[in-house]
């Protein structure tokens, strides 16, 4: 059974950092295309970052380039999103997704950037 469980969200001050984790089960992240999406209140869900494995090739949305880094730990079957220089406009629910013929989503984790 495929399952994605995100964690690491919370309240952070502008300019701060946060690391999100997505623990996968039921399939190997080492052979998957994994993505992070986010959805802010009143807005559509948008792609933040994607990693293709094997190879570890990553792609980022323009609005996070240079600030966010996506990575994977195959031994832990987990993908991460390291977020630096956070701004209030980064406030959103962040979702992990497994791409493919069948798409799987995690339940999401709230990130709030506020002073």
């Amino acid at each position: 059974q495929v399952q994605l469980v995100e964690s690491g969200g919370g309240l952070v001050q502008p300019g701060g950092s946060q690391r999100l984790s997505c623990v996968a089960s039921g399939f190997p992240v080492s052979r998957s295309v994994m993505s992070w999406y986010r959805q802010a209140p009143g807005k559509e869900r948008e792609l933040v970052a994607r990693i293709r494995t094997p190879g570890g090739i990553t792609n980022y949305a323009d609005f996070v380039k240079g600030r966010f880094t996506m990575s994977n730990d195959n031994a832990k079957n987990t993908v991460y999103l390291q977020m630096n220089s956070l701004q209030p406009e980064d406030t959103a629910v962040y979702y992990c997704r497994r791409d493919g013929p069948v798409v799987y989503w995690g339940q999401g984790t709230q990130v709030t950037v506020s002073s």
Side-chain angles (χ1 to χ4, degrees), residues 8-106:
L11 176 64
V12 61
Q13 292 190 341
S17 298
Q18 199 90 341
R19 189 178 81 157
L20 306 182
S21 301
C22 171
V23 179
S25 57
F27 70 97
V29 298
S30 61
R31 294 182 176 275
S32 303
V33 178
M34 301 293 296
S35 301
W36 284 98
Y37 281 73
R38 72 184 187 185
Q39 188 166 20
K43 294 187 177 181
E44 293 190 354
R45 197 170 293 190
E46 59 185 358
L47 175 67
V48 175
R50 175 170 289 140
I51 189 166
R52 290 175 169 81
T53 55
I57 298 173
T58 52
N59 299 97
Y60 299 94
D62 286 343
F63 52 80
V64 302
K65 280 183 180 177
R67 299 190 299 128
F68 291 11
T69 302
M70 185 174 183
S71 61
N72 62 294
D73 184 331
N74 296 335
K76 295 182 178 180
N77 214 36
T78 299
V79 294
Y80 301 97
L81 185 67
Q82 176 66 45
M83 306 184 294
N84 299 326
S85 302
L86 284 163
Q87 300 301 317
E89 52 265 34
D90 294 316
T91 295
V93 178
Y94 285 73
Y95 297 91
C96 177
R97 187 178 103 158
R98 181 200 180 191
D99 298 352
V102 179
V103 173
Y104 294 93
W105 292 92

